[in-house]
Amino acid sequence: GLAALIATRRRLGVRGPAHTVAKLIDPFEGQSVRVVPLTHPPYFPNMRDCLADSTTPALLMRGSEGEPTAGPKRPLNVECWRGSAWEEWSEPRPDEVPLPEIDAASTARWTEAALAGKRAIPTTILKLVDWLALASGQG
């Protein structure tokens, strides 16, 4: 049912409430960390309230086109819900890191080199990985 509701975006040309519902799904019943991106700041208070009704950890952050994004050239600010309280975490704008051209093949080559330790990974991306581990209780 959720897939059919989300598919209406193509007809309507706008996101609907199904996208918000999809962000709130907890398929592992508390054994995961929900990463919830929002594009519009006015939605943050409502989403905080929804996430706080659960014991499942969550990272709430600004997103890009509905996706959670640790931008390699901008500061990273995340709100973390763990247990019974919100925490705010931030990482300043990273030092300049050479990035690939914006196409799939270049990005794949850059990612392979970064994972092999041959390219520097922007600190915001590394920090988001650390915060995910911390939110999950593994960090």
Side-chain angles (χ1 to χ4, degrees):
L2 183 59
L5 191 55
I6 289 173
T8 63
R9 180 180 184 183
R10 289 185 195 99
R11 285 192 318 227
L12 300 174
V14 297
R15 288 181 200 264
H19 291 88
T20 300
V21 170
K23 293 175 186 184
L24 294 170
I25 292 173
D26 184 5
F28 302 107
E29 299 176 358
Q31 301 300 309
S32 62
V33 175
R34 287 184 282 184
V35 181
V36 180
L38 295 176
T39 304
H40 306 291
Y43 297 136
F44 273 73
N46 289 343
M47 188 59 78
R48 271 187 218 104
D49 290 345
C50 288
L51 293 168
D53 282 340
S54 170
T55 57
T56 301
L59 296 183
L60 180 60
M61 61 190 290
R62 288 293 302 266
S64 176
E65 297 299 320
E67 297 297 325
T69 305
K73 294 184 176 186
R74 49 177 213 233
L76 180 62
N77 298 295
V78 170
E79 297 177 37
C80 178
W81 173 253
R82 292 193 299 170
S84 61
W86 284 100
E87 300 173 37
E88 292 186 21
W89 298 337
S90 63
E91 180 70 16
R93 185 179 193 282
D95 293 333
E96 196 67 31
V97 171
L99 297 173
E101 295 296 320
I102 302 177
D103 65 80
S106 298
T107 300
R109 284 191 302 274
W110 184 92
T111 301
E112 288 173 344
L115 292 173
K118 297 175 183 175
R119 293 256 185 211
I121 299 173
T123 56
T124 49
I125 294 172
L126 297 172
K127 186 54 75 173
L128 184 57
V129 171
D130 289 345
W131 291 342
L132 285 163
L134 185 60
S136 74
Q138 302 299 312

